[in-house]
Amino acid sequence: MELAKRLNKLPPYLFVEINQKIAELRARGEDIISFAIGDPDLPTPSHIIECMCQAARDPTNYRYPETAGLPELRQAIAEWYERRFGVTLAPDKEMLPLIGSKEGIGHIALCFIGPGDLALVPDPGYPPYSLGTILAGGEPYFMPLKEENDFLPDFEAIPGKIADKAKLMWLNYPNNPTGAIAGFDFFEKGVRFAQQHDLAICHDAPYTEVAFDGYKPPSFMQIAGAKKIGVEFHSLSKTYHMTGWRIGMVVGNAGMVDALFKVKSNLDSGIPQAIQYAAVEALRGSQEHIAAHNAIFQGRRDKLVKVLNEIGLQARMPKATFYVWAKIPQGNTSIDFTKKLLNEVGIAVTPGIGYGKEGEGYIRFSLTISDDRLEQGIDRLSSWHRRSK
Ligand SMILES: Cc1ncc(COP(=O)(O)O)c(C=O)c1O
């Protein structure tokens, strides 16, 4: 048996090694507090689950769904974008529901990238942007996100020849893993840059509703001209705590949406309809839990960031996302430091290098653990710091 060579091009999946280590320690009876996974600990609101259960009992939902998604869902997505961002989208042409946004993020590479083609990808960044590019036969060209630039890419630093050759540019704000945010002026610059170099933009926006201190992140689709050159991926995972139900969407440029539809209609058979009805309920029903849950994350953020800075792990206060991106002391690699926290403190985080070369020197904490465990984790970090002084 011979596997395809493209698999050899994928870098080793670092998180697997860390997860194995956590499992090993837990099997030995160690109490590991994990700040490693960006999966909300808070429940899917009950009205959404109720709706899903009812729909699951309806025989019409036992059958294959359509790749295009239910008309009710497309209408609900259009209403949500209009209400939240003032963005008008045509339900029949300018959107496509996804089996979680990760699925669409991976597949859209097949629409734009062929052998040898380039995609501009943020570094550090959510790994599927570069891995999808590689699986499609292309190469990522990494745009460094530097702290001194507020973790925004510097479009001017990208050589003209590279920008002209590239087919696609990935952006993601509010950002995983840095917690950085971007304003209208940045997105406007992005649209101008894409127009100059004939690039398509994919903006990945699953965290627009996880925001603090009264901040309301914008949508890329609010920018004039965005729909001519780009799409936005969004998700119900983080807003409605539906990571396990797997539902998201892509909206924007009708040609790009149609290209993704062509790929998907040949590879998958849509999203289970009971989950689509739950998504309609999520998008149209009460949104009250969003502010309540953000208040919980904000409280956790405040406690964690304070302690991290006290113990010398410099961290900015993120205005959105449930991630805290902390700088580790010089002289450590992010993997060594992650192992040290695991072995000496019983705390799991993700090493910055797992998000790209520019992530070296950082670790990521996720605020998606219970308040009790977060408090215990913070106490452990403080006493470890006192001991090691
Ligand atoms: C930046 C980013 N994009 C996309 C996703 C995927 O979300 P979904 O659950 O919709 O596949 C994640 C999940 O962690 C993410 O952090």
Side-chain angles (χ1 to χ4, degrees):
M1 190 199 297
E2 193 182 328
L3 297 175
K5 291 190 180 57
R6 71 171 67 86
L7 291 187
N8 300 333
K9 291 196 177 158
L10 296 176
Y13 198 58
L14 263 177
F15 302 131
V16 172
E17 199 195 325
I18 305 282
N19 287 343
Q20 273 166 357
K21 183 83 186 143
I22 296 172
E24 235 173 77
L25 289 169
R26 282 187 172 147
R28 271 199 257 140
E30 304 275 346
D31 176 29
I32 305 297
I33 301 177
S34 179
F35 288 87
I37 300 163
D39 191 353
D41 59 308
L42 304 169
T44 310
S46 56
H47 64 282
I48 300 175
I49 302 286
E50 275 314 313
C51 173
M52 196 186 315
C53 291
Q54 265 183 28
R57 287 190 203 98
D58 178 347
T60 54
N61 295 327
Y62 299 172
R63 325 279 305 256
Y64 280 125
E66 298 281 346
T67 305
L70 291 166
E72 291 94 316
L73 175 57
R74 301 167 74 98
Q75 187 59 39
I77 292 171
E79 287 163 17
W80 187 83
Y81 255 84
E82 185 79 59
R83 217 174 40 243
R84 170 63 178 86
F85 299 114
V87 168
T88 305
L89 297 164
D92 55 336
K93 294 199 288 280
E94 292 178 335
M95 66 182 64
L96 185 61
L98 301 169
I99 312 168
S101 61
K102 184 179 185 182
E103 174 265 301
I105 290 168
H107 281 141
I108 203 162
L110 296 175
C111 306
F112 285 92
I113 305 292
D117 287 340
L118 289 184
L120 306 180
V121 171
D123 176 3
Y126 180 57
Y129 312 143
S130 55
L131 301 182
T133 306
I134 293 169
L135 286 173
E139 278 173 47
Y141 178 89
F142 290 106
M143 304 182 287
L145 306 186
K146 303 265 189 203
E147 188 153 359
E148 60 265 30
N149 296 335
D150 296 325
F151 299 111
L152 296 169
D154 176 2
F155 297 129
E156 268 118 62
I158 302 169
K161 273 192 184 156
I162 297 282
D164 286 339
K165 193 176 166 210
K167 301 281 195 270
L168 196 66
M169 176 163 71
W170 281 100
L171 298 173
N172 160 227
Y173 293 95
N175 183 261
N176 175 15
T178 65
I181 55 172
F184 288 110
D185 51 339
F186 169 78
F187 288 128
E188 279 159 6
K189 255 196 244 167
V191 169
R192 277 199 299 276
F193 181 74
Q195 285 165 341
Q196 264 163 25
H197 297 283
D198 194 19
L199 279 168
I201 292 185
C202 289
H203 182 240
D204 184 21
Y207 297 101
T208 61
E209 308 314 295
V210 185
F212 315 120
D213 310 320
Y215 173 62
K216 281 252 178 212
S219 159
F220 173 63
M221 285 295 129
Q222 288 172 271
I223 307 302
K227 221 195 259 181
K228 288 210 173 93
I229 48 98
V231 290
E232 180 161 87
F233 287 86
H234 214 301
S235 175
L236 279 81
S237 288
K238 320 286 171 167
T239 310
Y240 300 101
H241 301 170
M242 290 176 72
T243 50
W245 304 115
R246 310 309 305 134
I247 187 155
M249 62 270 202
V250 63
V251 306
N253 183 274
M256 292 174 73
V257 166
D258 187 52
L260 185 55
F261 176 78
K262 279 201 182 98
V263 169
K264 277 174 56 62
S265 55
N266 284 292
L267 291 179
D268 70 59
S269 300
I271 305 155
Q273 288 193 173
I275 294 174
Q276 294 193 51
Y277 282 114
V280 172
E281 174 63 24
L283 295 166
R284 285 194 176 145
S286 164
Q287 307 290 305
E288 268 170 27
H289 76 279
I290 297 180
H293 287 180
N294 283 346
I296 295 173
F297 290 130
Q298 185 171 324
R300 295 176 186 172
R301 174 201 71 168
D302 291 348
K303 285 181 193 157
L304 180 67
V305 169
K306 179 170 175 286
V307 168
L308 292 179
N309 285 305
E310 280 167 11
I311 67 171
L313 296 177
Q314 286 164 36
R316 291 186 180 194
M317 194 66 91
K319 281 228 169 287
T321 78
F322 32 61
Y323 303 118
V324 174
W325 188 236
K327 211 177 213 166
I328 58 176
Q330 281 197 339
N332 294 273
T333 68
S334 60
I335 292 195
D336 288 346
F337 201 77
T338 298
K339 286 184 181 158
K340 198 176 190 162
L341 285 181
L342 203 49
N343 291 324
E344 295 178 17
V345 202
I347 281 187
V349 297
T350 43
I353 190 78
Y355 302 94
K357 192 163 73 59
E358 297 289 334
E360 189 49 285
Y362 292 88
I363 50 175
R364 193 197 75 173
F365 289 78
S366 174
L367 300 168
T368 52
I369 66 171
S370 72
D371 292 351
D372 286 358
R373 292 297 269 168
L374 182 110
E375 296 277 359
Q376 283 173 22
I378 284 174
D379 288 348
R380 281 192 198 177
L381 284 167
S382 298
S383 48
W384 172 66
H385 180 65
R386 278 194 302 275
R387 280 199 312 275
S388 50
K389 263 210 276 192

